[in-house]
Amino acid sequence: MAGLSIKDARKHFGTTEVLKGVSIDVADGEFTVIVGPSGCGKSTLLRSVAGLEELTNGRIRIGDRDVTGLAPSERGIAMVFQSYALYPHLTVYENMAFALRIAKADKVAIDAAVRRAAAILNIEPLLDRKPAALSGGQRQRVAIGRAIVRQPQIFLFDEPLSNLDADLRVRMRYEFAELHRQLGTTTLYVTHDQVEAMTLADRIIVMRDGRIEQVGTPRELYARPANIFVAQFLGTPRMNILAATMAENGRATLAGGRSIALPSLTTPQPAGTPLSIGIRPEDIAIGEAPGALPFTISFIERLGGLATLHLGGREGEEPVACQLRDDGSLEEGDTVAASFASGHLHLFDSTGEVLETTGK
Amino acid sequence: MSLRRWSVTLLAALVALVTIAPLIWMVSVSLMARGEAAQFPPPLWPTSPTLENYRLLFGSFGVGRFLLNSILISTLATGLALLFTIPAGYAFAKLRFKGRDATFRLLVAALVVPGQIGMLPLFLELKAMGLVNSYAGALVPWLAGIFGIFLVRQYCLSIPDEMLEAARIDGASEGQILRRIVLPVLAPIIVTLALYVFLSSWNDFMWPLIILADQDLYTLPVALAAHSRQNVQDYEIMMAGAVVTTLPVLILFLALQRYYLSELLTGSVKG
Ligand SMILES: Nc1ncnc2c1ncn2[C@@H]1O[C@H](COP(=O)(O)OP(=O)(O)OP(=O)(O)O)[C@@H](O)[C@H]1O
Ligand SMILES: [Mg+2]
């Protein structure tokens, strides 16, 4: 097994630059998830690691080998594609044995490897079937089995769950975690589903537009997003971002004129500086409290146990989403008091970068 | 059964009858005695069926030799055509190389030029190469038909790139990918293409007539045509010759028919 290191990866397709200098270090055995919106270059990055795309610039190391110029098969990686890409004319067994047969491995060894992988994935009864006779979830397992059989140093997954229905996705997510616990193989996993990222990852890499926005554990990214993009990308419902200006006494004035207390900044800002205040919907407390602000509920989404309140501000104010346990007592049109505890606030400067606060 | 289904079945039966009637009459005439078919009105069935025409055909006329020539040329043409066409079509669809699309567009543009126009230049070329009046010369036009390349390319386009990439990651060389992944997936279209080339070369008349001067090298259509020019009245022998010409390809066609309409790529990719 081995770690992975990417240094200053750049990739052009014609004149468009898709990767704009990406550097990543993945420790041995780590499960790293790359998330980002569609088109940000996740697949391109993964395919570059696999050797399916040639980087315009940059180097890739796997373990202690520089694999930048090597063919895909020489890199010690296995990849599972979003479309599974099974060989339709081969049985499940032959699909999984394909790489070892190409490598002219010993028959007994091949059989052992295929059966071991099939046992791990619970697909032993399917070994004689062709891919056409499998369900989506079963195909997915075969694709993973094909990767396991090769005993790669690194697993590469490109949105492996996106073709499955919601139920199966949740179950396979759990199985991915289980598989990783069992095999301990270094994994690079691409998704645009932030729930997958939060639940599976040891570390998350958030990408946007060919660049890395932030790297960290799910906990870190959730608690201390480096900018507004990351803040809004992780967590549902998304973090509220309110425009404001600095006022005196460690307070800020929201658009619309209300005043709230801020946490103390590491680098104090002069009054009048524009800033953005972020607060997660689940961090807003509803109920009378000192400093609470009155809001009218413009709309309620009830999700069963939880409800999302959309608090319509007064004239000139931005609406705020707030999530809480739903006891059925609130109605649209009610006025509630909402507190924005300063400890839960995230402050961003006018460019969207975080403003460090003390005590976090 | 509904009226609608009845009428469709009836129509299909009618079309089949119209198509097959001449074939049946061809066989029927080939079994008649000399001169019987020339009567008016021509009889539908031989009064006393005889194999005399076939005996003459294989005996003094020596159709066995021409049959062998035809089989040899069509088989080789088919084999060689597949050998060149499949890799070419695959490369045009899936491999990245300089000038790929421009070359392909040029080839497709050449499709609109009727084959007959190319025959004279081709003949002169082969003459310079010393291939006139040889099997090799007869085979040349079949080597890499543009239509075949086009057909293979179109089917290759439907092969998902990710499947080939998976094979690449699995360590397969480009040759192994072609043999072990692409060929099996293309099987139905390969059978279709093989049939097409075999039939076309089997029935081809113009080119072997031009390129083959030696009687011994004649293919069936050329030999039969030469014979009918000399013996205009010999309907029964001509029909026996027609049976010998048609039957092998008919059998081939029927034997392979279950291959050409099967599904191509089920199960590789989602859905
Ligand atoms: N072969 C190619 N030629 C030209 N442009 C390409 C090619 N492959 C990808 N791109 C472009 O590169 C950008 C990044 O693509 P990529 O597939 O890496 O995005 P992604 O993050 O995986 O998106 P998604 O979540 O939709 O899969 C896109 O704008 C895409 O159009
Ligand atoms: Mg992608």
Side-chain angles (χ1 to χ4, degrees), chain B residues 183-221:
Chain B
L183 280 191
V185 168
L186 287 184
I189 195 63
I190 291 174
V191 173
T192 309
L193 180 63
L195 264 179
Y196 168 78
V197 176
F198 193 90
L199 285 182
S200 320
S201 57
W202 184 271
N203 292 329
D204 188 26
F205 174 68
M206 269 292 254
W207 182 250
L209 181 70
I210 293 174
I211 199 82
L212 301 173
D214 210 335
Q215 280 249 6
D216 277 354
L217 300 181
Y218 275 6
T219 59
L220 271 175

Side-chain angles (χ1 to χ4, degrees), chain A residues 11-14 16-19 36-47 53 82 158-159 190-192 207, chain B residues 96:
Chain A
K11 173 72 186 173
H12 293 261
F13 284 114
T16 49
E17 191 171 29
V18 174
L19 297 178
S38 189
C40 71
K42 307 181 295 290
S43 297
T44 307
L45 182 62
L46 203 69
R47 292 166 53 80
E53 301 284 357
Q82 180 176 1
D158 192 356
E159 310 212 13
V190 163
T191 179
H192 59 238
M207 279 184 73
Chain B
R96 297 181 202 169

